Amino acid sequence: MASSAMETCISEDLHMQVDIEKKAQDIRSQWVLNAPEPPSPWRVVADSVSKTISHYKHKLSSLTDQPCTTLLLSVLRVIFPILAWGRNYTATKFRKDLLAGLTIASLCIPQSIGYATLAHLDPQYGLYTSVVPPLIYAVMGTSREIAIGPVAVVSLLLSSMMVKLVDPATDPVGYTKLILLATLFAGIFQTSFGLFRLGFLVDLLSHAAIVGFVAGAAIVIGLQQLKGLLGITHFTTKTDIVSVMKAVWEAVHNPWSPRNFILGCSFLVFILTTRFLGKRKKKLFWLASISPLVSVVVSTLIVFLTRADKNGVKIVKHVKGGLNPSSLHQLDFNNPYIGEVAKIGLVVAVVALTESIAVGRSFASIKGYQLDGNKEMMSIGLTNIIGSFTSCYVATGSFSRTAVNYAAGCETLVSNIVMAITVLISLQFLTKLLYYTPTAILASVILSALPGLIDVSEAYKIWKVDKIDFLACAGAFFGVLFASVEIGLLVAVLISFSKIILISIRPGTETLGKIPGTDLFCDVYQYPMAVKIPGVMIIRVKSALLCFANANFVRERIIKWVTEEESEDDKGNSRSTIQLVILDTSNLVNIDTSGITALEELHKSLSSQGKQLAIANPRWQVIHKLKVSNFVGKIGGRVFLTVEEAVGCKSRC
């Protein structure tokens, strides 16, 4: 009797525990079902605007109690960061910045002249672009190491797109006007990106696309320099490798002077040798920095003393000196190509920002500080807007000059000011000395900077990590190489977007099993030790959105998996019949009407086979829409907080 009474008590305790657990699960299910409604899109926008306004109100209120002078200084420090860090500027920092500024100026002068010729502009425009933009950026920029000025990729991009509108050989004045107008548009777009916090637009060019694009552009730039290296007078304006090689082939079969080639190659070897020594011995970095300027000076003296220009050596000839002239009168807004120029400005703005921000963030991470992307976009944009008024074309952060600036020990943006003043002095007093500078030397200076743009190791890393990313990299590379610069960019962007669309349309799904000794449910393919629950199939969709693009694919994949699970034969024994299908929606952030329809069709299909459907761990946007569409009622309210609780409902199904 006592034994029977004890068994009865134990049985009652077990039933009581089951009832308590069941009630607890029901309560937790109600937590999920009674989640607050998500805010409407209008509410999200209104809240965002309200927070932004309150943020600025808080800032203003904290400033209103201060004296007018302090208030004015606070506003000016936000606009001009130089007023903030300039208070702690010391003589020691100035000595370092002075050395760094003179070092990058020695590299900047020959590069600027070369990049101007690459953009099909007169040499002085490259020097102009190395004066005003660095000065503007020095007072508005947030990076400490970036060296601002013309760069090879942007110069090529401008020329390759602009020559389709105006031929610089037949109408150099009209071509220059369009370049200045494109610079203004680029600056306006860049400033707008920063002002409206649209930095994500820069990210449309993925890292892989940039690697491929820059490598392809480097080869195209190198091929373009064959004109100067070989002393070719008539050369194609096209940038694809086929057109360039055809032009070179035709040129070498006509009379040409090998002196240009010998002179250019000799100094190219000299520059590359000094760069190699600078990398081997860090203390000799200055040798690599001044070698381009030394090459220009020595080669100019050689040509002047030997009168080699009379024997076929091509020279720069006249370089207009003096301060940056105003170019406001050259900005023609009634130009018939205004729409095309605006498009070119947009493309150039994105590419220039991408390069500048990438360079700035790289060196900021080394120095251990954060770069404000939106402020950078605004400062670069205003730099180009003001630059377009002062005879400058698009300027941005240069990787090669920034690397030299960093290696030279720069402390602040004063190095940019020193560089700009040095270039300005050169414009004022030394341009006449550039008359006999051979064009082959400018070509060799540009060629010497190109190896750093071709990052084979990074391309190999992309191949190892992500094959589709490598496809975008290769698409950009071959697009630039065999078509044009803009086609290469377009191909890279299209491949990147195709990757996103492909992942969205065909999202992965995984079957979950329970890890022994834990409450965790994980992918059985990733964790072979995970045990499947008999009679239960747990599926997780690896997508943040179940929508019209992927809903039917997910539904068909789940039905197929359930069918295959039941039809598979393990060691001659059929597996147990699936009674319950649990859909883990923890990854789903949102769902649309097509996704709900697909779930309803899935429920009908499973119900016709005597199976039940349960939902585990839905987000509030998802559960709200499932409730509104009455889907929760159709599946009998089987919505659970966790997968484990959903598994526990099998006995009640």
Side-chain angles (χ1 to χ4, degrees), residues 81-82 84-90 92-98 100-101 104 137-138 141-147 367 369 405-406 409-418:
I82 192 172
W85 55 260
R87 292 180 299 172
N88 302 318
Y89 198 66
T90 61
T92 304
K93 289 182 179 180
F94 177 71
R95 283 196 296 270
K96 293 182 178 179
D97 286 336
L98 179 64
I104 56 176
Y137 184 83
T142 58
S143 171
R144 303 171 194 167
E145 297 81 24
I146 282 184
K367 285 287 189 75
Y369 68 93
N405 197 27
Y406 172 78
C410 76
E411 290 287 338
T412 67
L413 287 171
V414 170
S415 61
N416 271 264
I417 298 175
V418 173

Side-chain angles (χ1 to χ4, degrees), residues 616-638:
N617 195 19
R619 302 289 181 92
W620 67 345
Q621 292 92 337
V622 175
I623 193 60
H624 171 69
K625 292 183 179 180
L626 294 182
K627 285 166 59 181
V628 170
S629 63
N630 198 33
F631 178 76
V632 173
K634 291 176 183 178
I635 62 172
R638 285 184 291 276

Side-chain angles (χ1 to χ4, degrees), residues 414-574:
V414 170
S415 61
N416 271 264
I417 298 175
V418 173
M419 176 191 72
I421 293 172
T422 305
V423 176
L424 187 62
I425 293 171
S426 301
L427 267 169
Q428 191 70 24
F429 302 108
L430 304 178
T431 50
K432 291 181 180 179
L433 301 178
L434 296 172
Y435 184 90
Y436 289 99
T437 300
T439 56
I441 293 303
L442 300 180
S444 66
V445 169
I446 295 175
L447 284 168
S448 68
L450 299 183
L453 300 178
I454 303 174
D455 197 339
V456 178
S457 61
E458 187 63 23
Y460 178 66
K461 178 183 175 182
I462 293 170
W463 164 259
K464 288 176 65 178
V465 173
D466 192 317
K467 300 299 186 290
I468 299 181
D469 263 2
F470 181 79
L471 188 61
C473 177
F477 178 78
F478 290 110
V480 170
L481 210 57
F482 289 99
S484 64
V485 174
E486 55 269 38
I487 291 295
L489 284 172
L490 181 61
V491 169
V493 171
L494 286 176
I495 292 175
S496 298
F497 272 96
S498 299
K499 174 186 175 182
I500 296 171
I501 294 170
L502 183 64
I503 293 172
S504 300
I505 292 176
R506 300 179 66 86
T509 51
E510 53 192 21
T511 304
L512 307 184
K514 190 172 184 179
I515 301 292
T518 71
D519 294 331
L520 300 176
F521 288 83
C522 302
D523 183 7
V524 295
Y525 292 101
Q526 183 178 359
Y527 300 95
M529 73 289 298
V531 179
K532 291 184 178 181
I533 309 299
V536 179
M537 172 166 274
I538 309 167
I539 297 174
R540 180 162 58 206
V541 181
K542 295 189 289 185
S543 174
L545 180 64
L546 189 62
C547 62
F548 67 93
N550 58 24
N552 284 327
F553 174 80
V554 171
R555 176 182 58 81
E556 291 170 1
R557 174 64 67 89
I558 293 172
I559 292 173
K560 181 181 177 182
W561 276 20
V562 172
T563 305
E564 288 179 351
E565 184 78 9
E566 290 190 324
S567 63
E568 279 187 19
D569 192 275
D570 249 2
K571 297 180 181 179
N573 297 319
S574 178

Side-chain angles (χ1 to χ4, degrees), residues 257-458:
S257 174
R259 291 182 179 86
N260 291 283
F261 184 74
I262 295 170
L263 190 65
C265 287
S266 300
F267 282 97
L268 177 60
V269 171
F270 167 69
I271 295 171
L272 292 177
T273 302
T274 56
R275 182 165 298 170
F276 174 76
L277 292 173
K279 287 183 178 180
R280 289 290 298 271
K281 295 183 179 181
K282 297 298 181 183
K283 292 182 179 180
L284 296 177
F285 75 90
W286 56 270
L287 189 61
S289 304
I290 67 170
S291 59
L293 185 61
V294 170
S295 300
V296 169
V297 173
V298 173
S299 63
T300 301
L301 285 173
I302 291 173
V303 172
F304 175 73
L305 294 174
T306 61
R307 296 296 178 183
D309 57 308
K310 304 293 183 182
N311 297 308
V313 174
K314 303 288 183 181
I315 58 175
V316 173
K317 296 184 179 178
H318 180 66
V319 177
K320 186 179 178 182
L323 302 176
N324 284 43
S326 172
S327 54
L328 280 169
H329 62 284
Q330 297 188 60
L331 298 174
D332 183 11
F333 294 98
N334 295 319
N335 195 290
Y337 300 115
I338 188 75
E340 294 298 321
V341 173
K343 292 177 185 176
I344 292 171
L346 176 60
V347 174
V348 172
V350 173
V351 173
L353 279 179
T354 302
E355 180 172 356
S356 184
I357 291 176
V359 171
R361 284 175 177 169
S362 298
F363 287 93
S365 63
I366 296 173
K367 285 287 189 75
Y369 68 93
Q370 294 294 322
L371 202 66
D372 189 326
N374 289 306
K375 282 187 178 179
E376 276 297 288
M377 287 187 281
M378 290 183 67
S379 59
I380 293 289
L382 289 170
T383 291
N384 283 317
I385 289 173
I386 297 172
S388 68
F389 301 154
T390 53
S391 300
C392 304
Y393 74 100
V394 180
T396 190
S398 165
F399 183 82
S400 60
R401 292 194 292 277
T402 302
V404 170
N405 197 27
Y406 172 78
C410 76
E411 290 287 338
T412 67
L413 287 171
V414 170
S415 61
N416 271 264
I417 298 175
V418 173
M419 176 191 72
I421 293 172
T422 305
V423 176
L424 187 62
I425 293 171
S426 301
L427 267 169
Q428 191 70 24
F429 302 108
L430 304 178
T431 50
K432 291 181 180 179
L433 301 178
L434 296 172
Y435 184 90
Y436 289 99
T437 300
T439 56
I441 293 303
L442 300 180
S444 66
V445 169
I446 295 175
L447 284 168
S448 68
L450 299 183
L453 300 178
I454 303 174
D455 197 339
V456 178
S457 61
E458 187 63 23

Side-chain angles (χ1 to χ4, degrees), residues 46-62:
D47 287 346
S48 178
V49 173
S50 176
K51 286 180 180 178
T52 303
I53 293 173
S54 63
H55 172 71
Y56 285 112
K57 276 185 178 179
H58 177 71
K59 279 192 171 183
L60 287 173
S61 63
S62 63

Side-chain angles (χ1 to χ4, degrees), residues 581-645:
V581 175
I582 300 172
L583 197 60
D584 180 2
T585 58
S586 56
N587 287 339
L588 283 181
V589 175
N590 215 328
I591 187 171
D592 67 1
T593 53
S594 298
I596 294 172
T597 302
L599 289 181
E600 289 174 347
E601 292 174 357
L602 174 63
H603 170 60
K604 289 178 183 178
S605 177
L606 293 174
S607 296
S608 65
Q609 302 173 37
K611 300 174 176 57
Q612 301 292 349
L613 177 65
I615 304 294
N617 195 19
R619 302 289 181 92
W620 67 345
Q621 292 92 337
V622 175
I623 193 60
H624 171 69
K625 292 183 179 180
L626 294 182
K627 285 166 59 181
V628 170
S629 63
N630 198 33
F631 178 76
V632 173
K634 291 176 183 178
I635 62 172
R638 285 184 291 276
V639 178
F640 301 93
L641 185 62
T642 65
V643 173
E644 185 177 18
E645 291 184 0

